[in-house]
Amino acid sequence: MRTVAYRNILRAESRDVEALGKFGVATVHEAQRRTGLMKPYLRPIQSGSAISGCAVTALMHPGDNWMIHVAVEMVQPGDVLVVGLVSDCTDGVFGDLLATSLKARGARGLIIDCGVRDVSTLNVMGFPVWSRAISAQGAVKETVGAVNVPVVCAGALVRPGDVIVADDDGVVVVARPQAADIAAKAAEREALEAGKREKLASGVLGVDMYNMRPGLAEKGLVYLDQTVDWYSGANEA
């Protein structure tokens, strides 16, 4: 690992960041062909949070939060700090003091493949966090990692400046060069789903709206009209 901290990064256009955030994780994930989703063990510490922003990245060693302190300096308003580790760890390497510092820099939230603590205080602060675990185990500051380099966080590759979208459904990454294209595709998908939602609300069945009946018949599904008493002991499978 090269121990380096890049001060300047290219960021996605703010209009694309805001658009992607409005669509949410599920729609963005589908719009980019079901790619970029972080593993589902990464969960928000409070429900109802939804953010989008450009990634500032930190690569750390387990149980050591030194690089988070370094990364705070690189954060600009609207950014999201994304922390990956060189090996698995669930220690609580992030708490309310670091959150206070990040919030002062204008960070929108934290995505961390590790543990956090001071959760009650973080909730009171209204600082959104998606983490692997919650743990009171603290951290040391001994080993240098890197800041604003590509990292793998919860199974997803994140490059500095990529767009992060996070909500109750999880966290998804959109590559910076593709942000505008994925935002447009997400808008198309959202419009299509709005039409489907209206049909379903009116009583149209999904099996008819999606023309599923021929496929179901081809796969062998048979509809039977007789009423069956499953307690009688004389039922036909």
Side-chain angles (χ1 to χ4, degrees):
M1 177 199 304
R2 186 181 178 194
T3 54
V4 62
Y6 289 98
R7 295 183 184 275
N8 302 307
I9 62 173
L10 296 175
R11 290 171 169 82
E13 295 290 339
S14 59
R15 63 176 179 273
D16 299 324
V17 174
E18 301 307 319
L20 289 165
K22 291 178 181 178
F23 296 126
V25 170
T27 297
V28 171
H29 180 233
E30 295 287 350
Q32 61 178 359
R33 299 185 178 182
R34 300 185 179 183
T35 61
L37 191 65
M38 293 189 183
K39 292 181 179 179
Y41 63 66
L42 213 62
R43 301 303 304 153
I45 63 170
Q46 68 276 359
S47 63
S49 294
I51 63 172
S52 62
C54 291
V56 167
T57 65
L59 182 60
M60 306 193 318
H61 293 266
D64 192 314
N65 68 2
W66 213 356
M67 289 302 99
I68 295 181
H69 287 271
V70 175
V72 169
E73 181 183 359
M74 316 308 175
V75 169
Q76 295 182 6
D79 286 344
V80 175
L81 179 57
V82 179
V83 179
L85 279 85
V86 299
S87 60
D88 288 350
C89 180
T90 57
D91 293 352
V93 299
F94 181 93
D96 68 299
L97 295 179
L98 276 167
T100 299
S101 189
L102 276 176
K103 196 170 183 179
R105 299 288 294 182
R108 290 183 173 175
L110 170 74
I111 314 297
I112 184 167
D113 198 358
C114 195
V116 299
R117 61 182 185 176
D118 304 328
V119 171
S120 295
T121 306
L122 293 175
N123 287 336
V124 171
M125 291 173 60
F127 188 78
V129 173
W130 283 255
S131 69
R132 181 172 191 159
I134 294 172
S135 173
Q137 177 67 50
V140 299
K141 298 162 184 64
E142 294 289 343
T143 310
V144 176
V147 172
N148 276 334
V149 299
V151 302
V152 174
C153 182
L157 176 63
V158 184
R159 296 177 177 88
D162 285 350
V163 181
I164 301 296
V165 182
D167 58 26
D168 284 345
D169 289 337
V171 184
V172 67
V173 186
V174 178
R176 177 181 57 81
Q178 299 169 1
D181 180 56
I182 299 304
K185 286 182 169 61
E188 294 173 2
R189 184 175 182 85
E190 186 79 0
L192 181 63
E193 289 191 347
K196 292 178 180 178
R197 194 173 293 109
E198 289 181 6
K199 290 182 179 180
L200 293 170
S202 72
V204 174
L205 296 173
V207 291
D208 294 319
M209 184 174 71
Y210 294 109
N211 192 30
M212 293 178 177
R213 297 188 190 279
L216 291 168
E218 183 181 350
K219 295 292 185 180
L221 180 67
V222 177
Y223 286 90
L224 301 176
D225 292 327
Q226 70 264 32
T227 301
V228 178
D229 180 1
W230 292 104
Y231 290 94
S232 68
N235 302 306
E236 181 179 348

